Amino acid sequence: MALEQPPLLYFGRDIVPWETARVHVWTEVVLRAASVFEGIRGYWNAAESRHYFLHLERHYDRLERSARLAHIPFHLTRDELPTAVHKLTAALGYRQDLYLRPTLYLDSGRYTTDAQEQTSGFFMPIFPVGRAGSIIAGVRCMVSTWQRTPDEAMPARAKAAANYFNLRLARLEAESYGFDEAILLNSRGNVSETAGASVFVVRDGLVCTPATTESILESITRASAIELLRGRGYEVVERALDPTELYVADEVFLTGTLAEITPVREIDQHTIGRGTTGEVTRSLQALYYDICSSGARDLRGWLTAGPVL
Ligand code: PMP
């Protein structure tokens, strides 16, 4: 999904014009991809004339954990993220769904954890986004020849820019073969995830998804989907998945902040189920979108209200 460039973004501790947010070429973020980030959605609620941001707290926690794993000094206080989101949303004035990218990066401090030598920075753009058409149409996936980086090499559980070198290769390969998305296997040959979403498989009413020890991002939507499915009485098992379990599944769907709940209709040369959105996927979609658009009716504490516009 191509993102429209906004006129302003949050940089350091201020809202600044897009063009003025710059880092030098000789910084750790440019040289060694030393940055960690989050992708967050804001859902426009027309009735209340404000956005509701999904899981701000959980995203803050994961950003903090990713920074800790990457040894990037974390200077963002818990209040700072919602405050920055609030101010920038008001300044931009978009009256549609949003996608936020809070990013923490290392400026200086090559191969050191010495606080005196390390300097880090923070920025956050907010983009207007729509809902991807693939949520209705479904996607065609390819099992990638690229392996998801094992925990011994890179912590896939962290949302670090460096991990996306691995995922980019897989995505580009899939696209070059005419597929929408890549499903990567891990170093044990089990299913891990796609370049931007978690994978779920449904067979005979049982829902399975790779465990967080299968070289996957500790995804927030994945945890939400598991919670919602269990709440609906489905059994959800987190375990290692053979790649051929994908081919014989009744349903396969992807979950993620941007992907939301996306049905998979084909993997390699195999049609999944009847090649249309299955019953479990459909009911999860309905539930998920209902919560995202619930605004002040949110009973789960998943949503944070933005400024009235
Ligand atoms: N896996 C990868 C590799 C991702 O980039 C994303 C998107 N952040 C996900 C899974 C889904 O994670 P989340 O639900 O936290 O957006």
Side-chain angles (χ1 to χ4, degrees):
M1 192 186 308
L3 295 168
E4 175 189 322
Q5 184 181 304
L8 305 165
L9 84 166
Y10 195 85
F11 184 57
R13 292 210 150 86
D14 295 308
I15 294 174
V16 302
W18 182 268
E19 300 72 30
T20 61
R22 299 198 178 282
V23 294
H24 197 272
V25 289
W26 200 254
T27 49
E28 288 305 298
V29 59
V30 177
L31 299 173
R32 274 165 282 273
S35 77
V36 293
F37 65 100
E38 282 303 315
I40 305 174
R41 266 211 195 239
Y43 289 92
W44 175 244
N45 189 304
E48 296 183 45
S49 195
R50 69 192 334 175
H51 296 90
Y52 277 88
F53 298 94
L54 184 61
H55 290 316
L56 269 192
E57 289 269 318
R58 293 190 199 180
H59 283 285
Y60 175 89
D61 290 342
R62 187 172 63 185
L63 187 66
E64 196 273 333
R65 278 200 304 275
S66 298
R68 202 164 354 124
L69 264 170
H71 298 290
I72 299 177
F74 190 76
H75 48 67
L76 202 69
T77 62
R78 192 163 280 281
D79 296 341
E80 221 169 323
L81 182 63
T83 305
V85 168
H86 204 88
K87 283 187 184 156
L88 186 56
T89 303
L92 288 167
Y94 292 126
R95 296 164 65 87
Q96 65 183 99
D97 289 353
L98 302 173
Y99 179 62
L100 291 57
R101 262 307 188 100
T103 306
L104 187 75
Y105 62 92
L106 197 62
D107 240 321
S108 62
R110 175 174 172 266
Y111 299 148
T112 179
T113 53
D114 183 342
Q116 303 302 316
E117 291 178 45
Q118 281 190 311
T119 56
S120 59
F122 177 75
F123 68 87
M124 179 177 64
I126 296 184
F127 302 95
V129 285
R131 181 156 286 167
S134 50
I135 282 162
I136 306 295
V139 288
R140 297 175 57 247
C141 296
M142 168 189 171
V143 174
S144 182
T145 65
W146 291 103
Q147 205 173 76
R148 188 78 176 92
T149 43
D151 202 52
E152 297 92 319
M154 300 255 279
R157 69 185 69 256
K159 200 160 172 64
N163 284 344
Y164 287 80
F165 181 72
N166 176 224
L167 298 167
R168 180 170 175 269
L169 292 174
R171 168 69 75 84
L172 292 179
E173 179 192 46
E175 284 182 6
S176 77
Y177 286 108
F179 291 92
D180 304 307
E181 188 49 282
I183 296 177
L184 290 91
L185 306 183
N186 63 24
S187 58
R188 294 184 290 276
N190 302 323
V191 176
S192 65
E193 60 184 345
T194 77
S198 311
V199 178
F200 283 74
V201 166
V202 185
R203 192 170 165 200
D204 298 329
L206 178 71
V207 185
C208 295
T209 189
T212 51
T213 46
E214 294 296 316
S215 298
I216 62 168
L217 176 70
E218 291 187 346
S219 150
I220 291 163
T221 320
R222 173 185 174 282
S224 301
I226 293 172
E227 187 182 327
L228 294 179
L229 288 165
R230 286 184 179 151
R232 276 287 162 103
Y234 289 105
E235 190 181 342
V236 185
V237 183
E238 300 173 66
R239 63 164 174 83
L241 275 178
D242 281 340
T244 50
E245 288 187 84
L246 297 168
Y247 302 149
V248 298
D250 300 327
E251 301 179 37
V252 175
F253 60 88
L254 311 177
T255 67
T257 297
L258 270 183
E260 301 184 300
I261 314 294
T262 298
V264 177
R265 61 171 203 274
E266 214 176 294
I267 301 175
D268 295 337
Q269 308 312 325
H270 300 267
T271 300
I272 306 305
R274 294 202 186 88
T276 53
T277 304
E279 194 187 306
V280 178
T281 312
R282 197 181 295 283
S283 71
L284 179 62
Q285 279 183 332
L287 196 54
Y288 187 78
Y289 296 134
D290 187 49
I291 293 169
C292 295
S293 61
S294 63
R297 291 184 292 110
D298 165 40
L299 299 175
R300 296 170 188 270
W302 287 10
L303 303 176
T304 304
V308 174
L309 299 178

